[in-house]
Amino acid sequence: MQPDSQSVPRSPSTGLWASPGRHHVGLHHILSAQLKGSPVVELNVGGELYTTTMGTLRKLPGTKLAEMFSSSAKPCMDAEGRFFIDRPGTYFGPILDYLRSERLPTHHIPEVYREAQFYAIKPLVKLLEDTPQIFGEQVARKQFLLRVPGYSENLELMVRLARAEAMAARRSPVLVCAVRTEEDAAHCADALRILEAEKRSVVKFGPWKAAPQVKDLLDCVKMDITAQGYQVYYEPYSGRTLRAKYFSYFYTFVFIWW
């Protein structure tokens, strides 16, 4: 009797599914034969099929792929007898291309970078970190945002405020105050007190010690909220509560629900 597929465990370290019992005996003999050379092997990576060699998979010692297909590993098979890896298959092709010929990907760089990190392919990770896409995100933008106090917490607060205002509404406005310097923060302190007295919720960003301007910060906020799946835009504050001299510090982010 074949075991229930729902009871088959998955290894948390490798992302490989354990296979039904009838494959284990055959797999032992297949793997033993393959480890003697570099024969052709078939892979099922998240439903995408690939053909390569054991030598390619084990090319870089210390990587997770080399670990998965080492002589002491217990790799798993799909229903057709192919090695199975429970990862996104779309981006495994560039991983194989690098292992085969050290060719760098030209598309889907962030996704391939994530997979290279998962498989612990350190040379590829380092090369991808030098590409404009990853360098700009990891070194430039993220390093700037690390200098904005409470940035991540403020994003979460904005989303909570927007969702709280979403009942029977098409749009939810969230008021944001962005101050780049300590001087700017002192200048708009009275405005914040006025809004607080009127029980208006305001999400305050800054001040920060970095070159980017307020618009750069606002663009980052929009980018990161959009990346969470929300449709949002921002516009300068134009309410009646504050005097015009404060307008350059306040912006309204509008969440669109439908």
Side-chain angles (χ1 to χ4, degrees):
M1 175 180 293
Q2 297 299 323
D4 185 349
S5 60
Q6 294 183 349
S7 67
V8 177
R10 179 175 61 176
S11 167
S13 63
T14 65
L16 294 174
W17 285 99
S19 60
R22 68 184 180 88
H23 291 302
H24 281 246
V25 175
L27 174 60
H28 175 76
H29 294 294
I30 293 172
L31 184 58
S32 297
Q34 288 171 336
L35 293 177
K36 295 178 181 178
S38 290
V40 174
V41 294
E42 291 187 346
L43 302 175
N44 177 346
V45 185
E48 299 280 341
L49 305 182
Y50 292 93
T51 302
T52 185
T53 67
M54 190 65 71
T56 296
L57 296 171
R58 300 175 62 191
K59 183 176 182 179
L60 297 178
T63 65
K64 187 163 289 189
L65 279 174
E67 174 189 334
M68 287 178 182
F69 295 96
S70 68
S71 58
S72 60
K74 295 180 179 179
C76 304
M77 310 289 275
D78 67 10
E80 302 299 323
R82 293 177 290 248
F83 292 101
F84 182 72
I85 302 176
D86 191 20
R87 292 294 295 179
T90 303
Y91 313 115
F92 189 73
I95 299 292
L96 275 185
D97 286 341
Y98 175 77
L99 293 175
R100 288 165 174 157
S101 58
E102 298 186 357
R103 186 172 69 182
L104 291 179
T106 57
H107 299 89
H108 306 295
I109 302 297
E111 293 82 4
V112 177
Y113 176 68
R114 183 179 62 242
E115 293 306 295
Q117 288 180 307
F118 172 80
Y119 293 114
I121 306 176
K122 294 181 181 179
L124 178 56
V125 169
K126 187 176 186 305
L127 289 169
L128 291 176
E129 286 177 345
D130 287 334
T131 62
Q133 297 95 319
I134 303 302
F135 182 87
E137 174 67 17
Q138 298 292 331
V139 177
R141 197 178 83 92
K142 282 194 174 179
Q143 289 302 313
F144 159 54
L145 296 178
L146 287 174
R147 290 165 170 76
V148 180
Y151 178 80
S152 297
E153 292 80 0
N154 280 348
L155 289 185
E156 295 176 2
L157 177 57
M158 288 179 66
V159 170
R160 288 201 302 271
L161 290 173
R163 293 174 70 95
E165 298 292 330
M167 182 64 69
R170 184 169 186 178
R171 294 175 173 84
S172 297
V174 176
L175 188 58
V176 166
C177 174
V179 289
R180 181 173 177 269
T181 66
E182 296 287 354
E183 182 180 355
D184 291 338
H187 191 250
C188 71
D190 287 341
L192 289 172
R193 282 192 286 269
I194 292 171
L195 292 168
E196 182 180 1
E198 294 193 356
K199 300 186 184 304
R200 289 287 305 276
S201 297
V202 182
V203 181
K204 179 175 174 290
F205 289 89
W208 59 84
K209 295 181 179 179
Q213 303 297 310
V214 166
K215 185 180 185 305
D216 301 315
L217 183 278
L218 298 174
D219 288 342
C220 287
V221 171
K222 180 179 182 296
M223 182 187 306
D224 289 332
I225 291 178
T226 300
Q228 297 181 39
Y230 294 97
Q231 186 177 354
V232 66
Y233 68 89
Y234 69 87
E235 59 189 9
Y237 173 80
S238 58
R240 299 180 180 179
T241 303
L242 302 177
R243 287 183 286 177
K245 68 176 183 178
Y246 296 122
F247 283 9
S248 61
Y249 302 113
F250 291 88
Y251 300 82
T252 301
F253 275 76
V254 181
F255 289 71
I256 303 174
W257 303 113
W258 52 276

